[in-house]
Amino acid sequence: MERGGGGWRVSRGMLPLLALHAFNEYHRLPWKPPVTAALLATNTLIYLRPAFLDSLVPSIHEVWFNPHLILKYKDLKRFFLSPFYHASESHLFYNMMSLLWKGIQLETSMGSNEFAAMVVALLAMSQGITLLLAKSLVLFFDYERAYYSEYAVGFSGVLFAMKVVLNSRSEDYTNVHGLLVPARYAAWAELIIIQMFVPGVSFLGHLGGILAGILYLKLKGGYSGSDPLTTIIRGATGVLSWPLRFARYLFRRPRIYGRGTVGGSDTRRTAPIIWRCPACTFDNSGWLSICEMCGTSRSGNDLSSDQLSRHSNIPLEELRHRRIERFG
């Protein structure tokens, strides 16, 4: 998050570079993470404020995260919308570059539904913890001016929480602004370094994000199965995708059912094959189940003359004569 105090202007020098980098990243991926793309687009569109959104989206002055105004006026708009606003183009660029890298890794490993649920949970928890920290400083330390009345916007609180989740099980080391630290402590190192060298950042906002990531991991570890928020998002996704599935059903290519085939031969109505009698080696038509010459069945069982006469409709005397003539 970045603290604010004055007006802001839109300069679009770095946004083409952000768009090019995002395009290259998504182009090389076999599966394109949709939630990460939606978050990138939402933050960028809110910053650019095109004409069709100008009347729909509140201005940045209406959504600054200010603990005093949120608690005094119960202003939930500031609570939920302030992460999607940015004070400058560089602020947006660095946050979105970080979101692109973290979002692709997390969404690819978790799946879109669980990743979306995690982002919602981390946003609510980071904002809530930041609000709680600011209020606690007033109540217990009478430290009001610096944090309780500050104005802040930006997605970095959620990004710090995502960094905690991403590095929670890593045993590697990572470079944080030139300092080599264990990956699981990278968020803490970045919190201190940014606070020391980058003016105008919200210490409580970043700290709230780190604590939100830790809390999320604790809650996730103590809950077996799919969490309720993921289940809700999965159900909402299914409902929203129903019209698309229905349209596919309506316009799918029809299947032709029946005894015949289209564009090919009917393989079920083939000419009968010739089979050789296992007893007398006479070649019989495939329509016959017993040998025309000796009366042996196709499976190799020898039928009596009476049975053979009934099966073949050949007079008994003629059949006996054929057998004698064949084997005599």
Side-chain angles (χ1 to χ4, degrees), residues 55 62 66 96 103 141 171 179 222 224 235 239 249 256 276 297 306:
S55 60
E62 300 177 74
N66 182 277
M96 293 303 99
F141 301 98
E171 300 295 336
L179 183 65
S224 59
V239 172
Y249 172 79
I256 301 175
R276 179 160 294 181
S297 67
D306 292 339

Side-chain angles (χ1 to χ4, degrees), residues 2 8 10-11 14-15 18 39-48 83-99 154-155 159:
E2 183 167 318
W8 64 306
V10 177
S11 96
M14 302 176 75
L15 292 186
L18 172 63
L39 289 172
L40 288 167
T42 300
N43 281 272
T44 304
L45 284 173
I46 288 177
Y47 177 78
L48 293 176
F84 299 99
Y85 285 72
H86 292 81
S88 66
E89 184 192 12
S90 60
H91 185 206
L92 173 71
F93 176 81
Y94 290 114
N95 274 357
M96 293 303 99
M97 290 289 288
S98 179
L99 172 62
F155 209 71
L159 294 174

Side-chain angles (χ1 to χ4, degrees), residues 310-323:
R310 288 195 298 269
H311 278 84
S312 61
N313 295 322
I314 301 175
L316 185 57
E317 292 299 327
E318 182 181 345
L319 182 60
R320 286 174 180 169
H321 176 71
R322 287 189 183 182
R323 298 189 69 165

Side-chain angles (χ1 to χ4, degrees), residues 25-26 29 33 36 99-109:
E25 286 295 313
Y26 269 78
L29 292 173
T36 300
L99 172 62
L100 180 65
W101 183 75
K102 295 179 178 70
I104 287 176
Q105 294 186 76
L106 287 170
E107 187 172 359
T108 301
S109 61

Side-chain angles (χ1 to χ4, degrees), residues 168-202:
S168 60
R169 297 182 181 179
S170 176
E171 300 295 336
D172 298 331
Y173 283 77
T174 186
N175 189 300
V176 180
H177 302 288
L179 183 65
L180 194 64
V181 297
R184 64 177 60 185
Y185 302 121
W188 293 103
E190 189 171 356
L191 171 69
I192 297 172
I193 292 173
I194 289 179
Q195 193 63 33
M196 291 173 59
F197 297 104
V198 181
V201 297
S202 174

Side-chain angles (χ1 to χ4, degrees), residues 238-259:
V239 172
L240 292 175
S241 62
W242 180 85
L244 179 60
R245 296 198 306 270
F246 182 70
R248 287 178 179 174
Y249 172 79
L250 289 179
F251 295 103
R252 68 180 180 179
R253 293 180 63 183
R255 295 181 180 179
I256 301 175
Y257 298 93
R259 299 180 61 185

